[in-house]
Amino acid sequence: MPERKIWELKNQTVCSILGLTYNDRELSDLFKRLKLDCDPVTAYEMHGGLIQACSSQNKASKQLDRILKDRFERYRKDIERIPQEEIYRHIEDGSNGDGKDIPIPALIWFAVRNQREDIDAIEAAVFAATHMHEHRASRFYGELRRVLPCGIPENILMELTGASKANEKLRTKCNRLERKRKQLKSEIESVREDRLRITAALDEEKRLNRQLVSDLEGLGGEDTLNQTENLKEEIDFLTNEVKRLTDELLSRDRSESDSVKSGELMEIAPLPELDIVGEGESADLNGARVAYIGGVESLMPYYRDAIESVGGTFCYHCGRCIQGRKEIETIVDGIDMVFCPVDINSHNACKYVKKACKMRDKPCHFLRSSSLSMLIRELGNHAVE
């Protein structure tokens, strides 16, 4: 259904919407925002000026229609659950949109917003319900002015807000004190239990002391103590003697072991020589600094022999980047080329090597396997290139 604009509403409906939506301060700000004549100085005069501006289609009424539409849009979904012809009943009985936090001017706005055949009857019912609320509110306001010491009912909201905040602070303090009380109670129980345990331990200590005194008297009293001291001294002497004899035996065993080793022929198996022929015989690194990152750590001596046998200076890194990218970048800065196997290596190491070599324009050879033959073959390929 088409929506009615604010200049299409009756004056009493516009009066109710504006009066219930804006207080005196907001009314003054709205008046300035709409750039209306600022000569009116009282809230009543500004209220009447807005109603007069909304009686026809003009720039101010169009802008005010958009302002009110945006202000009440948040309540649309909740109010749309209520039939338009039934909204005025929620204003009458104060149910406020089935328990939703919907202000009365929003209910009025959506009750008269959509064009219907019976819109005049709906608008009249809304005005009647609102008008009766206004009478009740006026009587309540008068009673408050009469009974309040300050005679200013508007101060009640500020006082209630202040009291609510103070109550919330007191509740927070009470909860904190309750937690402390429970904590202290728990600590007191713990101290009481510790005291009982200490008392029981002291009683047991006294019992053991009495038992020791009784046993000592049964063994002969102070003479037994003297005999015990003598036995301790004898034990210490025997312990030192055992230590001296043990050291002497160990020294004798070492001397005999050295004499046996000097008479034996130790046969050392030579390390296998690397056969740098075929594909790798043409390689000549001419002193280039070569890094091998990753691979089998036990083959590191053979990697070294392969590199150095063709005139290169070897540098090795296991591929575990404990310190991150910086560790690889430091190695790449100090070398001339890199060999990096991809089968036994970390993903980060391969990624860091590729990026560091590309940024520094250093040759980087990624090997399919960590075998020695693959390294030798790649050295030959490098020489051909």
Side-chain angles (χ1 to χ4, degrees), residues 20 28 40 51 64 107 109 114 135 223 236 254 264 266:
L20 294 172
S28 177
I51 296 174
L64 183 57
L107 291 171
W109 176 263
N114 293 331
H135 286 312
D223 292 337
D236 292 339
R254 281 195 295 271
E264 292 179 350
M266 302 301 291

Side-chain angles (χ1 to χ4, degrees), residues 141 143-156 159:
Y141 186 86
E143 289 294 326
L144 287 177
R145 289 189 62 181
R146 187 172 59 83
V147 300
L148 287 177
C150 62
I152 304 176
E154 287 81 357
N155 292 342
I156 290 181
E159 292 177 2

Side-chain angles (χ1 to χ4, degrees), residues 139-190:
R139 289 195 298 271
F140 182 67
Y141 186 86
E143 289 294 326
L144 287 177
R145 289 189 62 181
R146 187 172 59 83
V147 300
L148 287 177
C150 62
I152 304 176
E154 287 81 357
N155 292 342
I156 290 181
L157 289 178
M158 292 187 295
E159 292 177 2
L160 287 175
T161 302
S164 177
K165 292 180 178 178
N167 186 44
E168 187 65 27
K169 290 181 179 179
L170 287 175
R171 184 180 292 109
T172 303
K173 290 182 179 179
C174 288
N175 293 335
R176 189 183 302 116
L177 290 174
E178 179 64 19
R179 289 194 297 269
K180 288 185 177 179
R181 186 189 68 82
K182 292 180 179 179
Q183 182 179 358
L184 289 174
K185 184 178 179 180
S186 176
E187 292 176 357
I188 290 172
E189 292 294 332
S190 178

Side-chain angles (χ1 to χ4, degrees), residues 14-263:
V14 177
C15 176
S16 298
I17 293 174
L18 295 178
L20 294 172
T21 302
Y22 299 106
N23 57 30
D24 294 353
R25 180 179 58 81
E26 292 175 325
L27 196 62
S28 177
D29 294 339
L30 181 63
F31 217 78
K32 295 177 182 178
R33 181 177 177 182
L34 296 177
K35 298 180 181 180
L36 297 175
D37 187 8
C38 297
D39 290 340
V41 293
T42 65
Y44 173 75
E45 290 173 336
M46 288 187 289
H47 179 73
L50 286 177
I51 296 174
Q52 181 64 30
C54 292
S55 62
S56 62
Q57 181 178 357
N58 52 63
K59 182 178 180 181
S61 61
K62 291 180 179 179
Q63 187 175 0
L64 183 57
D65 187 77
R66 289 193 298 269
I67 292 173
L68 291 172
K69 181 178 180 180
D70 294 339
R71 184 175 184 127
F72 299 137
E73 187 63 27
R74 72 182 74 174
Y75 308 109
R76 177 182 292 275
K77 290 184 179 180
D78 294 328
I79 297 180
E80 283 180 347
R81 300 189 183 99
I82 309 172
Q84 185 175 353
E85 65 275 9
E86 298 294 329
I87 295 178
Y88 79 95
R89 298 187 184 277
H90 292 268
I91 300 175
E92 283 182 338
D93 57 24
S95 60
N96 200 17
D98 290 336
K100 303 293 184 181
D101 187 15
I102 303 175
I104 291 178
L107 291 171
I108 299 174
W109 176 263
F110 286 103
V112 301
R113 185 68 168 166
N114 293 331
Q115 181 66 49
R116 294 164 53 107
E117 293 181 358
D118 58 345
I119 190 62
D120 291 337
I122 293 176
E123 195 167 356
V126 168
F127 174 74
T130 306
H131 191 62
M132 294 309 299
H133 275 305
E134 291 172 353
H135 286 312
R136 298 188 192 100
S138 297
R139 289 195 298 271
F140 182 67
Y141 186 86
E143 289 294 326
L144 287 177
R145 289 189 62 181
R146 187 172 59 83
V147 300
L148 287 177
C150 62
I152 304 176
E154 287 81 357
N155 292 342
I156 290 181
L157 289 178
M158 292 187 295
E159 292 177 2
L160 287 175
T161 302
S164 177
K165 292 180 178 178
N167 186 44
E168 187 65 27
K169 290 181 179 179
L170 287 175
R171 184 180 292 109
T172 303
K173 290 182 179 179
C174 288
N175 293 335
R176 189 183 302 116
L177 290 174
E178 179 64 19
R179 289 194 297 269
K180 288 185 177 179
R181 186 189 68 82
K182 292 180 179 179
Q183 182 179 358
L184 289 174
K185 184 178 179 180
S186 176
E187 292 176 357
I188 290 172
E189 292 294 332
S190 178
V191 170
R192 184 178 292 110
E193 292 176 359
D194 291 341
R195 181 178 178 182
L196 292 175
R197 285 196 296 269
I198 291 172
T199 301
L202 288 175
D203 293 339
E204 181 65 17
E205 189 71 21
K206 291 178 181 178
R207 187 189 66 78
L208 292 175
N209 287 337
R210 290 194 296 269
Q211 183 67 33
L212 288 174
V213 171
S214 177
D215 294 342
L216 183 60
E217 292 177 352
L219 294 173
E222 294 182 0
D223 292 337
T224 303
L225 291 177
N226 294 332
Q227 292 177 6
T228 303
E229 292 296 331
N230 293 333
L231 289 174
K232 285 183 180 180
E233 292 177 359
E234 187 174 352
I235 289 172
D236 292 339
F237 173 76
L238 292 174
T239 301
N240 293 331
E241 188 68 16
V242 169
K243 183 178 180 181
R244 184 183 64 80
L245 292 174
T246 301
D247 293 341
E248 185 177 345
L249 288 173
L250 289 174
S251 177
R252 185 178 301 174
D253 289 342
R254 281 195 295 271
S255 61
E256 291 177 356
S257 176
D258 292 340
S259 62
V260 170
K261 287 182 180 179
S262 61

